[in-house]
Amino acid sequence: MGKKIKKEVEPPPKDVFDPLTIESKKAATVVLMLHSPEEEILAKACEAIYKFALKDDVKKLLRELDVMNSVIAQLTPEEEVVIHEFASLCLANMSTEYTGKVQIFEHGGLEPLLRLLSSPDPDVKKNSIECIYNLVQDFQCRTTFQELNAIPPVLDLLKSEYPVIQLFALKMLGVITNDKKSQAMLRDSQGLDHLIKILDTKELNDLHIEALSVVANCLEDMDSILLIRQTGGLKKLLAFAENSTIPDIQKNAAKAIAKAAYDSESRKLFHEQEVEKCLVTLLGSESDGTQVAASQAISAMCGNAGSQDFFNTQGIPQLVRLLKSDNEEVQEAAALALASLTTCNPANANAAAEADALGPLTSTLSSKRDGAVANAATVLMNMAMQEPLRAAVQSQDVLQALIGPLGSANTVVQSKAALAVATTVCDVEARAELRNRGGLEPLVELLHSKNDEVRRHASYAIMVCAGDELTATELYRLGALDILEEISLSVRRKNKFSEAAYNKLLNHNLSLKYSQTGYLSSSNIISDGFYDYGRINPGTKLLPLKELCLQEPSDRRAVLLINNESVDGSLLMEDKSSDLSYRRSISSSSSLRRASKEKTTSLFSTGFGSPTELKSEPTSGRNTVLSKSATKEKGPRKGRGKKEEEKVKEEEEVLAIPKLTGESSPEKEWYPPPDPHFCTYVYDVTRSILPVTNVKEQVEVLAKYVAEKMGGKIPKDKLPDFSWELHISELKFQLKSNVIPIGYIKKGIFYHRALLFKALADKIGVGCSLVRGEYGRAWNEVKLLDPSWKGVTGAFSAPETWIVDLMFHPGALMKSGGREANLYQFL
């Protein structure tokens, strides 16, 4: 008996019972029904599509089935109202998603929907305006809306007896009127009248918020404002906002004013309508949103001088109270208004101080909102700019509170905080407080900012902070000078403030300034410890004096030192019979120790300022106090030849070189090499030149004195024979250092003499500048009145610049720019 063959039955497809597949088939069936010529079937198909469209998954299927074109086709005027109703309802539901909006627009759905706004059926109107509202959220749809001149049919909907239709119409106008062209179209279509009537009608208070939003947009258009004013609508609007008890209405009214007030003409019109009273009233609202909007409107109105004056007494006190609000958004808006009110307005800054704003403003600096911090810093800056208020600002620990904002990640906060620091640290005490509290470090860090404004304001603050020696030194330690120098080399990053800050810091490091710029002004007073290293290129580091002193002699240019101070309180000299070379330890921990003083050196006291043991002796043609070497002589050198006299003089000066004795001591502080000769020079000029009352005479006498100490007058043709290089080399060998105190140089040329002249002139208060030239040239400039004007009644002449001759005709003055001056400077 044969076996029965069992036939296998194929299983159904896996997605047969998939709900989505079922819905897909139903949707396809419904789409086919849209092609039916029977109206009843069409209506049922549209209703079915609407119900389908309520489901998210089905919406996607409908888009894939390209149903949109078929639905839009049912919007033609020939179709029945019921078909219009369900087709528009379907489109309204599909338009809630971006893809649906795109398909409706691309299939030309906007124009037939606009036609349906005039349909007699309210449901059709509601569905159509809702769909249009969704569509105009897209910019391209708004542009087409304008081209179709669609505002008049939308305005007609405002007359509808159905609030939902009116509400959608207002919402749509609120979106459309963000564009200037639509604002003009609304104005030309008498839309403003419709809006004001709605605001005038208490029964329509559920529409007031949306109506105000549209009005707010229209107030950005100057012609619309004029139209509202002419019809009396502006006063109605302000009264409506002031008297309303609905917070959202007050808020929207304030927002409308704020938007419009950014135009100068609008501000003028608002001021004429006394908008300030309305805004002050709104500040007293219990609604945070209204307070914020009113504060922002006040800020916008500050562009009008009359408004600023009004808020001086009837606005600032209320804003100060809002600074204490628990709502940080309110604090930010109030601080913004105060910042606008106090900017360039000392009266309002005083009013803020009188309203006790300092405490709340300082507290606001710790707010979590960057805007609040930036605004508070701006107000404090405006107040600190007034000298009578600055002390009050400083007393509130504002500098301590500003340190946090300086380190903020927000560039606006950084910028405003830096400006606030700049206006607050205008005195030594304030700078010391900032320095002691660690505020300089974050300020220096801001110089690295990539933001131009932050970098500019940080530079400004550093420029102000560099006003005293201690703060400038700390800034230098923190690397501010190096950063500013780097900025100055960048065309894109540098600014006027960075250059000013750099120069201000250089003024506290004249050695570096002279090496880099080759110029010291009359206000750059050379102090002890100054050294002329020679010219260095931008970006090159200048070695500190201690490091230079610890280096072995080399063939490079000698470093010239100015030092009027003793070592460890006294000069260190050795007996003439001993090795009188200048010894110094090579170790960085070495120090100079006190040595015994011989009778020949007893004229130099600890300070080297006014030796009391100095005895005057006759000199050969000198009218000043004798130098130290001269005190060793028994009398004038009469009968000696010039060469012999110079030889003896050089020998005595070599003998005068001090020797430091004692073992190195790591515990003691390092001191720069002493310069007893320069100390004598200072004493000489202080006693003999300082009393002279005529500045010109002081300059001339000082020039002769300097030339005498540096080898005397040198004829131009003898300059090549003036063996100053050998003299300098001998000094470097004897001192075992490249650093030579200026007083030891007895054969000096242009740059030696110019430096000595500047150093001595600064000691006695004779104003002069020091300018470095090329090829060893340097000169001093002084400003003097032209003597030809002396005695001329009523005449006034600005001081003229003169070059001082220290070489060829010591004491002669050459007018800057003249032939003689040019020869002296450049040839």
Side-chain angles (χ1 to χ4, degrees), residues 510-656:
L510 296 184
S511 300
L512 178 60
K513 179 175 183 178
Y514 190 51
S515 291
Q516 285 194 346
T517 67
Y519 179 79
L520 295 180
S521 70
S522 58
S523 62
N524 295 142
I525 306 301
I526 291 179
S527 59
D528 297 321
F530 172 91
Y531 58 101
D532 176 14
Y533 179 83
R535 190 191 309 274
I536 62 174
N537 295 323
T540 305
K541 301 297 181 185
L542 177 65
L543 295 177
L545 178 61
K546 179 179 179 180
E547 189 172 338
L548 291 171
C549 286
L550 296 177
Q551 291 178 350
E552 291 295 326
S554 67
D555 58 356
R556 80 165 311 279
R557 178 189 184 280
V559 178
L560 307 181
L561 172 65
I562 303 295
N563 188 17
N564 189 40
E565 294 182 351
S566 63
V567 177
D568 200 18
S570 64
L571 278 181
L572 304 176
M573 294 291 192
E574 284 290 339
D575 185 65
K576 291 198 298 184
S577 61
S578 64
D579 179 10
L580 296 178
S581 63
Y582 178 68
R583 298 177 182 175
R584 48 173 199 84
S585 173
I586 300 302
S587 170
S588 61
S589 63
S590 65
S591 63
L592 303 180
R593 303 184 67 185
R594 177 178 300 178
S596 61
K597 296 185 288 182
E598 297 296 325
K599 181 178 179 181
T600 56
T601 64
S602 63
L603 9 153
F604 304 110
S605 63
T606 301
F608 299 103
S610 57
T612 57
E613 299 179 21
L614 187 63
K615 307 227 175 181
S616 58
E617 296 183 13
T619 63
S620 54
R622 301 182 188 176
N623 61 352
T624 60
V625 176
L626 295 177
S627 67
K628 175 184 173 298
S629 60
T631 63
K632 301 180 184 292
E633 298 183 8
K634 298 297 184 180
R637 302 187 184 115
K638 293 182 181 178
R640 295 184 180 181
K642 185 175 181 182
K643 290 186 178 179
E644 182 184 353
E645 194 173 78
E646 289 181 355
K647 182 178 180 181
V648 172
K649 185 177 179 183
E650 288 181 14
E651 289 175 353
E652 290 176 346
E653 286 159 353
V654 169
L655 290 176

Side-chain angles (χ1 to χ4, degrees), residues 721-741:
D721 302 327
F722 188 62
S723 57
W724 65 274
E725 297 99 333
L726 178 60
H727 173 61
I728 297 297
S729 296
E730 290 174 347
L731 285 175
K732 288 164 67 174
F733 174 76
Q734 292 158 1
L735 296 173
K736 293 183 172 55
S737 174
N738 261 7
V739 178
I740 301 178

Side-chain angles (χ1 to χ4, degrees), residues 235-370:
K235 278 192 174 180
K236 289 181 181 179
L237 178 64
L238 296 178
F240 171 76
E242 191 173 351
N243 299 325
S244 177
T245 58
I246 302 174
D248 283 346
I249 289 178
Q250 292 182 319
K251 178 180 71 175
N252 284 359
K255 284 184 176 179
I257 295 168
K259 276 189 175 182
Y262 285 104
D263 178 81
S264 58
E265 290 298 319
S266 301
R267 288 195 296 270
K268 182 179 178 182
L269 288 175
F270 278 138
H271 178 61
E272 292 172 355
Q273 300 295 317
E274 297 182 327
V275 72
E276 297 86 358
K277 291 181 179 179
C278 172
L279 294 176
V280 171
T281 300
L282 295 181
L283 284 179
S285 169
E286 295 182 358
S287 165
D288 292 341
T290 302
Q291 292 172 348
V292 169
S295 299
Q296 291 170 341
I298 288 174
S299 175
M301 283 300 299
C302 285
N304 182 275
S307 297
Q308 288 203 13
D309 294 341
F310 180 93
F311 292 127
N312 181 275
T313 55
Q314 301 182 52
I316 288 179
Q318 291 88 333
L319 289 168
V320 171
R321 283 197 292 272
L322 293 183
L323 287 176
K324 305 171 187 176
S325 170
D326 294 333
N327 187 308
E328 289 196 333
E329 188 178 359
V330 174
Q331 292 178 9
E332 179 179 351
L336 173 65
L338 287 171
S340 300
L341 284 167
T342 56
T343 298
C344 300
N345 195 316
N348 283 347
N350 283 315
E354 291 171 1
D356 297 325
L358 282 172
L361 285 169
T362 305
S363 299
T364 305
L365 290 176
S366 60
S367 171
K368 295 178 182 178
R369 295 181 68 91
D370 290 334

Side-chain angles (χ1 to χ4, degrees), residues 205-222:
N205 58 4
D206 56 333
L207 303 177
H208 286 172
I209 295 174
E210 300 299 335
L212 268 176
S213 296
V214 183
V215 172
N217 292 340
C218 292
L219 289 179
E220 295 178 12
D221 175 56
M222 190 59 203

Side-chain angles (χ1 to χ4, degrees), residues 187 192 218 220-230:
R187 182 187 67 242
L192 293 172
C218 292
E220 295 178 12
D221 175 56
M222 190 59 203
D223 291 332
S224 296
I225 293 179
L226 290 171
L227 182 61
I228 296 174
R229 182 193 178 204
Q230 291 169 1

Side-chain angles (χ1 to χ4, degrees), residues 443-488:
L443 194 60
V444 171
E445 281 299 313
L446 293 183
L447 293 175
H448 292 294
S449 175
K450 295 180 180 179
N451 183 280
D452 292 343
E453 187 176 88
V454 172
R455 209 165 49 249
R456 183 166 56 249
H457 292 169
S459 299
Y460 175 40
I462 287 175
M463 180 190 73
V464 178
C465 288
D468 66 85
E469 187 72 32
L470 288 176
T471 309
T473 301
E474 180 65 10
L475 286 168
Y476 185 82
R477 187 188 70 81
L478 292 170
L481 192 64
D482 294 336
I483 302 170
L484 287 167
E485 182 180 7
E486 180 187 343
I487 291 173
S488 69

